[in-house]
Structures are given as C-alpha cells and as structure tokens.
Amino acid sequence: MPFGLKLRRTRRYNVLSKNCFVTRIRLLDSNVIECTLSVESTGQECLEAVAQRLELRETHYFGLWFLSKSQQARWVELEKPLKKHLDKFANEPLLFFGVMFYVPNVSWLQQEATRYQYYLQVKKDVLEGRLRCTLEQVIRLAGLAVQADFGDYHQFDSQDFLREYVLFPMDLALEEAVLEELTQKVAQEHKAHRTIMETVCILAFSLWGFS
C-alpha cells in the first residue's frame, strides 16, 4: 500500500490510489471509524474489518447499512464489491454498523462483545423510538443503562450527571418539571441496581428487546 501518497478527496471517497479507497463506518456507540479497502473488497471484508476492531467474532448477526439516494435505509449486500455497491445506490459512502439478525433469546449469544453490541442496538432503538415502551419500562431500562454504563450509584456525590445523559426516547415530549421527576425516578432505579454487574445489566436490558 503506498503510504507515502497524500490523501486527496473526490466527491465520494478519500482516495489513496486508484486501487484503494477509504470509507467511514458509524458504530453503535456513535463513534466513526475509517476503513481502507481495495476497490474490489466486498461488504463482507469491510464488516470483518469492523468486527476485528470491535474484537467481535460472531459477525453473522451483524451487517452494514447506508442511506440510499432516496434517503431510505438499505443493507449492504455483503457478497458484492462495496465501492460499486455504494456508487450505484448510496447517497454518500457513510456506512452504519448494526444488528441484522436477532436470536430468539440474547442468552444464546456466546461472546460478551456480541451481547454488548446487542445492548447498544436495543438502547439506540428505544431512544430513537423504534422500540416502543411504556413510561414505567422507560424508567426501568434507563436505570439498567445507567448501571451498565456508569457503575454503582454510590460512586457519585449526586445524580446531577443524569441531566446530561440521554435517558428517555427522543420523541417523548416532556415538560421540565416532569423531566426532573422522571430523572429522580431513574436515579432511584439506578440505586436499586447497586452491585449488579455490568454484564447482567446489559443482558437484562437486551432481553427486553426480545420480549
């Protein structure tokens, strides 16, 4: 690979040479990574490169998707050359990594890294309104998420940090006073999960997505 060459931009890709291109992938934790691929590389090769960075072995549950030129979500056809696929159908070369196939029960997943990615997917779907739930369920799930992401309640002098943490679905319109009341309920739910391991919280949260 000609590492000495400077990157130059085209409308669609950062090009290293006529035989290579760089594409971006947004992960479930919202971080964006870049992958350098051959123009002949398939979607599967890109997925495997992402999985390697995530130390993820159970790749068969996951896929890559993009926004089409009509702004519709579309899964990458993994067996096809990725660059040609994106050139033909994608609005831009930004890819999104996500769960493509769900198992009947999350406990079937063998690898902790796989369960964590499922957790991120379910949490994202709840917060973005794709998985509907009651207000009571929202509070329970938020308490589990805080425990999984931050650890025990007693580590914090106050729960003020929760005001900066996205706890509730984005489409849930709440007045300031109601939001404060619900945030305090989440804090109490968090307190109730003291000493529960991160893995247990992740499993409990993810299991809800299969119920």
Side-chain angles (χ1 to χ4, degrees):
M1 184 181 298
F3 290 106
L5 295 181
K6 293 182 179 180
L7 295 176
R8 61 184 178 84
R9 290 187 178 274
T10 67
R11 185 175 68 86
R12 285 191 165 275
Y13 301 103
N14 296 329
V15 179
L16 294 172
S17 76
K18 69 164 65 171
N19 296 318
C20 297
F21 74 101
V22 176
T23 192
R24 295 173 298 141
I25 302 99
R26 186 177 298 279
L27 305 177
L28 287 168
D29 62 3
S30 296
N31 285 322
V32 176
I33 63 173
E34 292 186 341
C35 282
T36 302
L37 300 164
S38 158
V39 294
E40 299 301 324
S41 294
T42 63
Q44 182 65 40
E45 289 174 279
C46 183
L47 178 61
E48 288 172 359
V50 174
Q52 186 174 19
R53 296 200 194 188
L54 296 174
E55 299 183 346
L56 190 65
R57 296 190 303 273
E58 296 174 285
T59 57
H60 45 285
Y61 297 124
F62 300 91
L64 300 167
W65 59 276
F66 59 88
L67 288 176
S68 70
K69 293 175 182 177
S70 60
Q71 295 298 303
Q72 299 297 311
R74 176 169 177 163
W75 288 104
V76 168
E77 295 179 37
L78 296 176
E79 73 282 0
K80 293 186 177 180
L82 180 61
K83 186 177 184 301
K84 291 180 181 178
H85 195 52
L86 294 179
D87 278 339
K88 186 174 182 180
F89 299 111
N91 183 53
E92 60 174 326
L94 176 65
L95 296 169
F96 298 84
F97 171 79
V99 175
M100 191 174 186
F101 300 109
Y102 287 89
V103 293
N105 190 308
V106 73
S107 63
W108 288 16
L109 304 176
Q110 299 298 307
Q111 193 187 6
E112 186 172 341
T114 309
R115 294 193 291 268
Y116 182 65
Q117 294 302 320
Y118 265 68
Y119 160 71
L120 290 177
Q121 181 73 72
V122 173
K123 183 169 73 167
K124 184 179 180 69
D125 289 346
V126 169
L127 293 178
E128 294 181 359
R130 286 187 293 274
L131 274 177
R132 312 301 297 183
C133 51
T134 66
L135 202 51
E136 181 182 350
Q137 288 172 324
V138 166
I139 292 168
R140 290 180 60 194
L141 290 171
L144 286 168
V146 173
Q147 178 69 16
D149 293 344
F150 296 102
D152 284 350
Y153 177 95
H154 69 82
Q155 295 184 69
F156 303 92
D157 294 332
S158 76
Q159 298 294 290
D160 289 345
F161 77 96
L162 292 179
R163 296 184 179 88
E164 306 300 321
Y165 184 65
V166 179
L167 299 169
F168 309 111
M170 296 175 185
D171 60 353
L172 195 62
L174 299 171
E175 296 179 358
E176 190 65 33
V178 176
L179 182 61
E180 180 63 26
E181 180 185 351
L182 293 181
T183 300
Q184 291 306 311
K185 288 183 178 181
V186 170
Q188 292 304 307
E189 188 74 23
H190 179 205
K191 187 175 182 179
H193 296 315
R194 181 178 176 179
T195 74
I196 297 179
M197 294 174 59
E198 173 189 344
T199 301
V200 176
C201 286
I202 287 172
L203 276 171
F205 194 112
S206 301
L207 278 166
W208 184 85
F210 298 90
S211 61

